[in-house]
Amino acid sequence: MSSPPHRWARGLRTRPRSAALLSPALLGLALALAACGGGPPPATFDLAQGGTRGKALHGRHQLSVAEPTALQPLDSDRILVRRSDGSLATLARAQWSDRLPRLLQSRIVQAFENAGAVGRVSAFGGAATADLTLDVEIRVFEVDVGAGQGHIELAATLINAQSGRTTAARILQANAPGVTEGPAAAGSLDQALARLLPELVHWAAPYL
């Protein structure tokens, strides 16, 4: 007796989905939440910190990372699913640990810090005076049922904080295969982001 997932397309009917959890102990909790109706809180999922690739950053400029922009339903804490017919739904009784743009902003900052930019990168609005601002638009961040994978697409722009002019821009994409049902669904998005963040850092490095 499960409750239907949130629906973003009229007439969409789905079965409850669950997602990859932060620890094995939570796997049973997610399955229980998916199988039981009533009012238990949704299972909460996180995104891993980005690693590094290649040489560490040795730039001289201060980087500010703005909170990414996104249209609904991406500007939320919902985990988005694209069905085989192209319609959109969300994983039932599952959510990110924060709004996706805010969570992604934190992970981008951590990715630059892990690459060697500690003290030279911060979230937008911090005390440090930035030389460059990184703007990111979340275009796709979803579990693609038809393709059997997690798919992410970001539009990244580096802007000169003094002049307001664009320094560089790029579209970045990453996929990660995985099951699209059950407790491992959101894990494919985590894996895709783990591939994309080093690409983002590598692209931005020459301008820092």
Side-chain angles (χ1 to χ4, degrees):
M1 43 179 188
S2 50
S3 58
H6 296 272
R7 296 169 184 171
W8 301 105
R10 186 178 179 182
L12 173 65
R13 295 181 181 275
T14 66
R15 292 179 300 170
R17 310 290 184 197
S18 104
L21 300 177
L22 300 179
S23 68
L26 290 177
L27 285 172
L29 173 61
L31 294 175
L33 290 175
C36 238
T44 300
F45 304 87
D46 203 353
L47 291 169
Q49 295 185 25
T52 61
R53 192 183 72 170
K55 297 180 180 179
L57 292 176
H58 297 292
R60 296 172 297 173
H61 299 298
Q62 186 75 28
L63 176 66
S64 174
V65 178
E67 181 176 307
T69 59
L71 297 175
Q72 286 286 359
L74 287 170
D75 188 10
S76 70
D77 61 359
R78 301 298 180 180
I79 301 174
L80 195 62
V81 174
R82 184 170 297 277
R83 305 293 302 212
S84 298
D85 63 1
S87 59
L88 298 177
T90 58
L91 288 177
R93 302 197 180 182
Q95 65 183 14
W96 297 118
S97 59
D98 204 335
R99 288 176 45 253
L100 179 60
R102 185 178 175 119
L103 181 58
L104 184 57
Q105 178 189 31
S106 175
R107 296 300 175 260
I108 292 173
V109 170
Q110 290 170 348
F112 279 94
E113 289 177 337
N114 292 345
V118 175
R120 290 183 288 105
V121 61
S122 62
F124 183 80
T129 301
D131 301 304
L132 292 169
T133 299
L134 175 62
D135 282 348
V136 173
E137 177 192 356
I138 307 174
R139 294 187 173 181
V140 180
F141 206 102
E142 64 192 26
V143 179
D144 189 329
V145 173
Q149 63 185 11
H151 178 51
I152 300 174
E153 180 179 316
L154 305 179
T157 306
L158 280 172
I159 299 173
N160 185 299
Q162 306 304 317
S163 66
R165 295 181 179 178
T166 297
T167 299
R170 183 176 174 181
I171 304 298
L172 300 104
Q173 299 184 50
N175 303 314
V179 299
T180 56
E181 299 184 18
S188 61
L189 287 171
D190 195 33
Q191 294 172 30
L193 186 63
R195 297 176 181 180
L196 188 147
L197 288 179
E199 292 284 347
L200 177 63
V201 173
H202 181 73
W203 163 72
Y207 305 99
L208 301 179

